[in-house]
Amino acid sequence: TWSWGNKLLWDYDPSQDEEIYRAYRAVRDAGVTIFDTADSYGTLELNGRAEILLGQFERRYQGEQSNNKQQSNMFDFGSFLGNSDSSAKNNKQQVATKFAPYPWRITRGSLVQAAKESLARLEQDKLSVAQLHWSTQNYQPFQEGALWEGIADIYDEN
């Protein structure tokens, strides 16, 4: 998802979104459920674009799957009798997002706020994996402790 929204390195343009969705649908159809992304994926006014697209794509994909299932269940007496499979539960998108340790993220609360903003972009209520995008230990070591505490808080609140 790194290239989604990144004009600088990947020459991204929103007109590519439909093509990106087709690729997303293909990997979802192949059984992929976990997606790695970051709150910083996207450049300038498109910062966070990868998370926005992941959320939009998953809602669209699940809608298509639901429509396909309804059409295929038209004559499925097992579903009529309440014998539905659990594949939808096992096929849920899992998002592993990374939080950039920007210089202004110096408190644990600022990382928790970043997680809430990611969830809003993803339009989800829970992150599967929350992680720091990189360590600040070598260039801003005082920030490191607060960031790790923030990650712990994200898991406590999530």
Side-chain angles (χ1 to χ4, degrees):
T1 64
W2 180 24
S3 62
W4 300 359
N6 191 312
K7 291 179 179 182
L8 182 65
L9 297 176
W10 300 99
D11 199 29
Y12 167 82
D13 183 271
S15 67
Q16 300 166 337
D17 289 355
E18 190 59 30
E19 181 180 355
I20 296 169
Y21 176 72
R22 287 192 301 272
Y24 178 87
R25 185 177 55 218
V27 298
R28 289 292 277 127
D29 286 346
V32 173
T33 59
I34 190 156
F35 292 87
D36 174 78
T37 192
D39 67 342
S40 60
Y41 288 175
T43 50
L44 305 172
E45 75 278 2
L46 295 172
N47 202 30
R49 180 76 175 164
E51 290 178 332
I52 292 167
L53 289 176
L54 269 177
Q56 289 174 355
F57 289 171
E58 182 63 11
R59 284 186 305 286
R60 180 175 169 186
Y61 180 79
Q62 290 300 330
E64 290 172 359
Q65 296 304 302
S66 178
N67 289 340
N68 291 342
K69 187 168 179 107
Q70 287 174 356
Q71 290 172 359
S72 68
N73 284 344
M74 188 180 280
F75 299 106
D76 180 356
F77 293 108
S79 292
F80 177 73
L81 297 172
N83 300 328
S84 61
D85 66 26
S86 63
S87 63
K89 286 188 278 186
N90 297 333
N91 196 27
K92 185 176 183 293
Q93 179 195 60
Q94 306 292 310
V95 175
T97 199
K98 298 177 292 293
F99 300 103
Y102 294 127
W104 54 88
R105 288 186 179 158
I106 57 173
T107 66
R108 61 196 299 172
S110 61
L111 211 59
V112 171
Q113 182 59 38
K116 290 176 181 177
E117 291 166 3
S118 286
L119 287 169
R121 283 189 293 273
L122 290 160
E123 293 188 38
Q124 295 185 2
D125 57 358
K126 186 174 171 65
L127 292 171
S128 299
V129 178
Q131 53 200 330
L132 290 178
H133 206 139
W134 62 84
S135 171
T136 63
Q137 187 62 41
N138 290 332
Y139 64 91
Q140 200 163 314
F142 72 88
Q143 185 183 18
E144 190 82 359
L147 295 174
W148 284 114
E149 290 170 354
I151 287 290
D153 291 346
I154 290 168
Y155 280 100
D156 288 345
E157 291 186 22
N158 205 2

